[in-house]
Amino acid sequence: MRPRIAVLGSIHMDYVISLDRIPRLGETLIGKGFKMTPGGKGANQAVAAARLGAEVYMIGRVGENLIGDELIKNFERNGVRIDHVKRAKTHSGVALIFIDSSGNNIIGVAPGADHHISKDDVDEAFRDLGDRIDILLLQLEIPVEIVEYAIEKFSEKNVKILLNPAPYRPLSREVLSKIFIATPNEVELELMSGVKIAGDRDLIRAGRRVIEKLGIENLVVTLGGRGAMIITEKEERLIPAFKVKPIDTTGAGDAFNGALAVALSMGRSLEEAVIYANAAGALSTLKIGAQEALPTSEEVERFLEESGR
Ligand code: ADP
């Protein structure tokens, strides 16, 4: 049976202009290129999981505009189920991104429809999916109260909750204690734990504090080119990254989270699932863009085989 995953989160269109340098305040600068590409952490992670063979249900909102139509078409092209993608009487979420010739960027986001996701939307999705999905995957680009409500609701059923706490915002302890796995990066772990991280000892201390104080069962801390660290109450284990020559690391975290959800819902152990997610994360750095760079299950399997895993 294909793993079944629901993703509740943001759906954006990214507008990317590349320039020699970032314009100064008040300056108009002629750029070198433009690209309009679907994004948003929620949508990226949904597409990541779908490419890896899961049956994926997106829960979210797009605007009543042409961009909304495009975002829905993009889900259809990628085989993501859109039964729970609704329209909102506003614009679709957009990100305006300027990238300079060294790859530095500045980004502004207008969430639009993302901020119109309601508790009713969650209830509706819950009625349909509560008994059917293995994993609910969440991020923090939509209102926190909706994320909290969804965790409360879906944890009543036999659904594992995977939270990618990005961009970081605090959630109530009661809600966090219902999470099976949280996947912060180092910056997010610092914010969650209140511990300044200067080395692996701090990292483990911060992770333990999150587990003890917030009651989360498992942490998987993503460490970019180093891989990811599993931290549980009893142990910690660094799962090293696959060695690649990255071209663009945008969306590596989204590839990682989508893949982690897929591997876990296929019944792999946490360690095996992190190896699989590291492979998907590494492969996603070899192409430019977020969604365009997401690997398929065949690509990940072949890569794992070639790497001797
Ligand atoms: P985020 O972008 O959310 O901060 P990371 O940069 O930690 O996330 O990347 C997520 C995952 O992608 C890493 O845990 C790793 O598995 C993979 N990854 C990212 N950068 C590299 C890299 N340079 N080489 C190999 N794998 C990478």
Side-chain angles (χ1 to χ4, degrees):
M1 254 237 309
R2 284 169 80 198
R4 289 181 172 153
I5 295 166
V7 183
L8 166 65
S10 57
I11 307 168
H12 295 159
M13 188 64 90
D14 293 345
Y15 292 80
V16 188
I17 296 183
S18 47
L19 314 108
D20 285 325
R21 59 176 175 81
I22 305 291
R24 275 188 269 279
L25 205 61
E27 183 186 25
T28 300
L29 203 61
I30 304 301
K32 295 197 296 195
F34 169 72
K35 221 166 130 179
M36 184 174 99
T37 99
K41 287 184 194 296
N44 291 349
Q45 294 180 19
V47 170
R51 291 249 173 101
L52 295 171
E55 189 163 320
V56 180
Y57 297 84
M58 183 75 207
I59 311 167
R61 286 200 181 230
V62 297
E64 281 182 340
N65 57 7
L66 281 174
I67 299 169
D69 299 344
E70 275 306 311
L71 292 169
I72 292 211
K73 274 189 220 150
N74 178 60
F75 282 134
E76 287 173 336
R77 272 195 297 273
N78 284 286
V80 174
R81 303 276 299 258
I82 51 162
D83 320 35
H84 298 286
V85 178
K86 293 197 181 170
R87 298 277 185 163
K89 286 197 186 316
T90 180
H91 64 86
S92 299
V94 291
L96 300 187
I97 304 171
F98 289 165
I99 302 185
D100 73 14
S101 50
S102 320
N104 303 306
N105 61 33
I106 55 168
I107 303 176
V109 173
D114 282 342
H115 280 201
H116 287 244
I117 304 175
S118 68
K119 291 186 177 171
D120 285 346
D121 296 352
V122 175
D123 286 339
E124 217 173 279
F126 179 71
R127 277 195 295 277
D128 178 27
L129 303 172
D131 289 315
R132 288 204 282 147
I133 56 168
D134 310 305
I135 289 193
L136 175 68
L137 178 54
L138 303 146
Q139 318 75 27
L140 298 175
E141 278 185 337
I142 60 168
V144 168
E145 62 270 21
I146 299 295
V147 172
E148 292 188 326
Y149 185 71
I151 294 172
E152 298 270 10
K153 228 44 245 191
F154 279 83
S155 60
E156 285 168 18
K157 297 277 183 179
N158 196 18
V159 175
K160 287 199 171 99
I161 313 282
L162 208 159
L163 174 72
N164 174 219
Y168 180 71
R169 274 169 308 152
L171 271 72
S172 81
R173 187 195 185 280
E174 204 196 322
V175 164
L176 288 170
S177 67
K178 295 177 176 154
I179 288 170
F180 178 56
I181 301 183
T183 57
N185 63 17
E186 262 179 290
V187 175
E188 289 142 11
L189 180 60
E190 273 192 353
L191 294 167
M192 278 176 107
S193 63
V195 174
K196 182 99 190 83
I197 300 173
D200 279 357
R201 278 180 55 184
D202 297 336
L203 185 82
I204 294 162
R205 198 158 55 88
R208 285 273 141 68
R209 181 175 291 191
V210 168
I211 289 170
E212 277 157 28
K213 280 181 97 178
L214 304 178
I216 297 174
E217 266 185 78
N218 303 287
L219 276 187
V220 175
V221 186
T222 59
L223 301 170
R226 286 186 61 211
M229 175 95 77
I230 298 175
I231 307 179
T232 64
E233 210 178 337
K234 294 194 204 76
E235 58 165 5
E236 64 279 333
R237 188 170 303 183
L238 177 73
I239 312 290
F242 290 91
K243 290 221 167 358
V244 289
K245 290 201 174 76
I247 292 168
D248 175 15
T249 58
T250 320
D254 294 332
F256 183 96
N257 279 283
L260 188 66
V262 171
L264 287 170
S265 59
M266 289 192 308
R268 298 198 188 193
S269 68
L270 185 51
E271 190 174 328
E272 284 173 282
V274 172
I275 292 171
Y276 188 83
N278 270 342
L283 282 172
S284 79
T285 69
L286 301 180
K287 286 185 199 158
I288 292 175
Q291 290 187 14
E292 305 93 307
L294 293 167
T296 62
S297 51
E298 292 76 21
E299 285 167 336
V300 174
E301 294 298 346
R302 196 178 330 121
F303 180 73
L304 282 168
E305 221 166 90
E306 285 166 6
S307 315
R309 298 308 293 247

